[in-house]
Each structure stands twice: as structure tokens, then as C-alpha cells.
Amino acid sequence: MAAELYPTKKLVPSTSASSTTTSSSSSSSIQQYQQQNLTNNNTSNAAQSCCNWQGLFPTIRERNSVMFNNETMADVHFVVGPPGGTQRVPGHKYVLAVGSSVFHAMFYGELAEDQEEIRIPDVEPPSFLAMLKYIYCDEIDLCADTVLATLYAAKKYIVPHLARACVNFLETSLSAKNACVLLSQSCLFEEPDLTQRCWEVIDAQAELALRSEGFCDIDSQTLESILRRETLNAKEMVVFEAALNWAEAECQRQDLSPTIENKRLVLGKAIYLIRIPTMVLEDFANGAAQSGVLTLNETNDIFLWYTAAKKPKLLFCSKPRKGLAPQRCHRFQSCAYRSNQWRYRGRCDSIQFAVDKRVFIAGFGLYGSSCGSAEYSAKIELKRQGVSMAQRIIKYFSDGSSSTFPVSFDYPVQIEPDTFYTASVVLDGNELSYFGQEGMTEVQCGKVTFQFQCSSDSTNGTGVQGGQIPELVFYA
């Protein structure tokens, strides 16, 4: 897993075993003692240099921490990792049995074997050590490039709190770039909550997810589940191009030349899950029809399906995907207009908002002209802590009514809970427009609660009580 996809996190679980916080001096002493043992091959010499080391640490947690990856009193050893990449790790049966029912059965169960060395070829050494660190130190230390392997180890040895921490780490780090890969892994590890979160991201940010490098790394079963997805918010041409990119990667995995024939071969029946007849005719003619992946008969039948009154039968689904239905958070209770108010002269209307659940902001609903129909040019932007996350310059037509008119970003933007974001718009068009009144600081939209507060970026009068940006358009 690419390291840049996830931040590094270090956690201490809030359980009774970890309720005592290690002081900085104790932590330093533990590290010094462990380092002494790591650099000294003679354990007895290390023990003699600090014959009363137990007295240095006031809690059992700290004393157990000293034993982590330590030869002192070790009564079992693990040879961890695949051949050619193994690492010998010392262990203490009692500590391990207290931390894992699998280790308990291994060392103290009815079928326990008295082995001094246990080989574990299917777990990577860093992940095995991360699991032992939790068992010995009650400390969760996760990073991007080992978290999936650590989850595997935690599942294998039934260490549920560590497994839950790994899943939380992955959920927090989830984005369109890694959602498809994590979907595959979440199904493998039987983590339904993570699977659901992956689907939420893939549905809402489908085009970003399909164009990600991670999409090409998924297995064929996950590919089919994505291609079947009714709620993908993506053009079918994007789905088709993503499937071809996956097929090329799959050819490489199977040591096949990435020819058109081989791409069709590795796609198999999955190609019929792409809803090619729902493409715009121009996209089909310039893209799928000339890709070479379709047979001549398939191409001819699809052209006839577009144009003929009597349509041929197709193996491809001809029903468009439903996609996700956007929701709208409306923050005003009424709107109005006055001849001498709410003019646009290149100034910024802005509002801050926060949510209590993850959502995806697709765009805004804006007011239009109060003096008849007019066209506006709008620069819309979404920022977090002053950093731009998305912006777009777009035109929209106002029919002169008090309705709101949707403007969208290129792709929906993932919004994390309990953090304030800034929504801004700079309008150019008819100076006089409708504006909102009786604004609300809190709005409940289904299961999502929005909170609003004034933004210092606003230079045209918009605030919580009144102004522009009456709606946030989102997926939840």
C-alpha cells in the first residue's frame, strides 16, 4: 500500500489497562533499557548492568513494556516473514496468552505443543511487531504502509481492539484514491462498516475513484461488484475507460501481452456490466465503438439500438444507472429583494459551515436576478482552514424567479465531521438579485446536522442571518 495514501498515527487506547499514562521519564527509561538489550547480545550482562530494573517502573504496563521484543526471560521465539525476509522475534508465553486467545490455545490449550520456535511465514515482521507492541505495551502504533498487514495479523490472532483501531485508521484515511483497493480488502477481512464507507466514497466520487491508480489493483470480483453498482455517480464512458485500464493491468499480472484481444479475454463477462447503450451517442461513436474491444456485431447492434425503431436485443444493460440523489441543505426561511440592496461588483459572498457526519459537497444553490431573466458567471470555491479544496468558474441562467439555481464543482468534495469549511462565491452578472433572510445557525437535513457561522472572507454582506449561498448541495 502506498505510504502517501494515509497519514501516520500513534494511538493509545482508552481502556482500563491503559488508564495510567506513562510519564516522560518512565518512557525514556523503558526505551533506554530496551535499547541496551537490543545492542547487547549477552542478556545476562544487560541484566547485571541493571539488576533491579523492575524498581524503575511503577506500573505493570511499564514493566511489561520492557519485555517487548526483549530476550530477557523469553520462552518462545517466532521466525516471522516469508523465506528470504524473516526476522526472529522473542516472546513470553504468559504475556502473549493474556493478549490473544489464539496464543493461549497455542501455549496452554489441550493441543498445545512445546515448541521453542514457531514459524509464521504469512505475516510481515513490522506488522507482527506492531501487534506484539499492542499486547505488551497497550499501545497502538499504525502507519500507512503496514496497517493492512497489521489488520491481517490482528484478525489471525484474534486481537479485536487492535483490529478495530486498524479499521478506524483506514476509515479516517479513506479517499477516492484508495477506496477501491480498501473495498477489496474490507471484503477479504469481513469488515462490513469499512465496506460501507468505501461504497459511500466510490458512489459519491465515482469518477475520481475509477480514474485512480488503485482501481487497477483490484481483483476481478471487486471489479464486477463496482461495475454492477446502480448508484455510481459517473458517466458510462468513464466506467468503460476505467475497465480498459484495469484490463491492461490484469494482462500484466497474468503475463499476457496487453493486446485488444487479451483485454477482452481478461474482462470476460464483466464487459456486459458496462452500460454502453446508455452512453451519449457521440461518446460511443468516438470511444467505445473505436476501442476494438467490442466485436463488429456488438458495435453494429449498439448503433442500431441508438437509431433504429425496432431495437435489437443486447447483452449489455440499456437502463441508465440511478446514481445518487443529491440532497439540499437550505439555510434561510425566506427570501426577498429590494431595489437598493444586494448588488454584485466582484465582491465575495461567503459562509462557514460544519457537519456532524461525513458528507460530499457537490456544489451550491445560488439566488439569481430579481429583475427578470439574466445570466451569471460564478466563481465558486470550497476551503478548509484557508486552503482551497475545490473551485470552479461556471455560468448559470436565472429565470427571474426566487428559486435557487444549482452550480457544481467538477467532483464532489469529501467533508469531514466537526471541522468548519468555507463556502464562497464571486458573482458577475445582473447587479440586483434575491437574497436570503431569517437564516438559521443549525439545520437538520435527514441524518446530517449542518452548523453555520459567519466568514471573514465575506466582503459583500453574506452572513448567517442573510445573503447569498442559500443552499449546500450534498451527498450523504
Side-chain angles (χ1 to χ4, degrees):
M1 186 63 60
E4 67 270 18
L5 295 187
Y6 316 103
T8 300
K9 289 190 177 180
K10 191 171 184 179
L11 309 171
V12 176
S14 56
T15 62
S16 58
S18 62
S19 59
T20 303
T21 304
T22 306
S23 66
S24 59
S25 59
S26 296
S27 298
S28 177
S29 299
I30 292 171
Q31 293 170 1
Q32 289 174 5
Y33 186 81
Q34 289 177 333
Q35 184 62 33
Q36 184 181 39
N37 279 283
L38 289 171
T39 56
N40 193 331
N41 292 326
N42 192 324
T43 304
S44 62
N45 289 342
Q48 288 174 4
S49 66
C50 186
C51 59
N52 186 29
W53 62 267
Q54 294 90 340
L56 297 175
F57 310 108
T59 68
I60 186 64
R61 176 176 174 267
E62 293 168 339
R63 292 191 289 276
N64 274 347
S65 296
V66 172
M67 292 295 98
F68 167 61
N69 201 19
N70 193 330
E71 289 286 352
T72 302
M73 295 186 289
D75 52 1
V76 67
H77 286 81
F78 301 94
V79 179
V80 186
T86 60
Q87 181 175 338
R88 196 166 189 266
V89 179
H92 306 78
K93 292 181 180 179
Y94 169 75
V95 178
L96 294 170
V98 169
S100 160
S101 60
V102 174
F103 283 132
H104 182 273
M106 186 184 297
F107 301 137
Y108 302 107
E110 293 181 359
L111 301 178
E113 297 182 11
D114 190 17
Q115 294 178 288
E116 294 185 0
E117 190 171 273
I118 299 171
R119 295 189 176 274
I120 307 177
D122 58 334
V123 178
E124 294 292 335
S127 299
F128 189 77
L129 287 169
M131 181 180 68
L132 293 195
K133 190 171 186 178
Y134 171 74
I135 291 175
Y136 278 80
C137 310
D138 207 21
E139 184 177 328
I140 300 173
D141 195 356
L142 301 175
C143 62
D145 52 356
T146 61
V147 63
L148 282 171
T150 303
L151 176 58
Y152 173 77
K155 288 278 189 175
K156 177 177 180 177
Y157 291 98
I158 311 181
V159 187
H161 296 294
L162 178 60
R164 184 67 253 169
C166 290
V167 171
N168 289 341
F169 181 96
L170 292 169
E171 287 182 351
T172 302
S173 310
L174 185 60
S175 70
K177 292 181 179 180
N178 58 29
C180 294
V181 171
L182 292 184
L183 174 67
S184 176
Q185 296 296 324
S186 67
C187 294
L188 176 66
F189 292 131
E190 298 181 342
E191 286 291 342
D193 291 342
L194 179 58
T195 299
Q196 178 59 33
R197 281 286 297 121
C198 289
W199 277 126
E200 290 172 5
V201 173
I202 293 170
D203 282 342
Q205 297 181 306
E207 295 195 358
L208 286 175
L210 293 171
R211 287 171 170 154
S212 68
E213 292 183 7
F215 179 79
C216 295
D217 295 331
I218 62 178
D219 58 90
S220 58
Q221 185 175 355
T222 304
L223 172 73
E224 291 185 11
S225 66
I226 293 175
L227 295 183
R228 284 193 182 94
R229 192 73 174 172
E230 186 71 28
T231 45
L232 284 183
N233 269 3
K235 296 178 182 177
E236 209 61 32
M237 190 62 203
V238 175
V239 178
F240 179 79
E241 291 171 348
L244 289 190
N245 291 336
W246 178 89
E248 183 171 350
E250 183 65 12
C251 285
Q252 294 175 354
R253 285 189 286 269
Q254 296 187 22
D255 293 325
L256 297 173
S257 176
T259 62
I260 294 298
E261 293 76 16
N262 284 337
K263 289 181 182 179
R264 177 67 187 250
L265 176 66
V266 298
L267 279 171
K269 293 184 179 180
I271 195 169
Y272 298 116
L273 300 175
I274 306 171
R275 306 185 183 193
I276 294 176
T278 67
M279 292 180 184
V280 176
L281 177 57
E282 184 179 359
D283 285 346
F284 172 72
N286 295 326
Q290 298 186 46
S291 68
V293 175
L294 303 178
T295 66
L296 289 176
N297 285 338
E298 288 170 343
T299 302
N300 182 65
D301 285 348
I302 293 173
F303 267 122
L304 289 175
W305 192 92
Y306 278 111
T307 56
K310 184 178 180 181
K311 301 185 183 299
K313 292 183 178 180
L314 300 175
L315 292 175
F316 298 91
C317 180
S318 58
K319 184 179 179 181
R321 301 178 196 271
K322 293 180 180 179
L324 287 179
Q327 301 181 50
R328 297 192 177 200
C329 173
H330 197 93
R331 66 189 191 91
F332 296 126
Q333 299 182 67
S334 64
C335 69
Y337 70 91
R338 298 181 189 137
S339 60
N340 62 344
Q341 284 193 13
W342 233 269
R343 299 172 180 269
Y344 299 111
R345 295 170 181 168
R347 291 176 295 193
C348 180
D349 287 289
S350 186
I351 191 71
Q352 287 192 325
F353 69 94
V355 291
D356 63 344
K357 293 179 178 61
R358 288 188 187 94
V359 299
F360 300 86
I361 296 294
F364 311 145
L366 302 178
Y367 288 125
S369 170
S370 60
C371 302
S373 60
E375 186 178 64
Y376 284 90
S377 174
K379 178 184 177 182
I380 59 174
E381 187 171 20
L382 195 61
K383 293 191 291 186
R384 178 180 180 177
Q385 296 177 346
V387 178
S388 180
M389 301 179 67
Q391 59 176 289
R392 188 183 181 194
I393 297 176
I394 187 172
K395 294 183 182 295
Y396 72 95
F397 182 78
S398 163
D399 60 9
S401 71
S402 60
S403 302
T404 58
F405 303 93
V407 293
S408 301
F409 294 107
D410 291 323
Y411 304 104
V413 182
Q414 183 169 308
I415 301 299
E416 298 297 331
D418 305 322
T419 300
F420 273 94
Y421 294 78
T422 303
S424 301
V425 60
V426 177
L427 287 173
D428 183 18
N430 192 317
E431 285 192 3
L432 299 178
S433 90
Y434 288 91
F435 60 93
Q437 297 184 131
E438 300 178 277
M440 297 172 283
T441 57
E442 185 172 294
V443 180
Q444 186 76 29
C445 293
K447 296 181 179 180
V448 184
T449 301
F450 285 78
Q451 289 185 326
F452 294 95
Q453 67 181 28
C454 294
S455 168
S456 59
D457 291 351
S458 191
T459 58
N460 197 45
T462 287
V464 173
Q465 297 301 317
Q468 255 290 4
I469 318 181
E471 288 180 337
L472 298 178
V473 183
F474 68 99
Y475 301 110

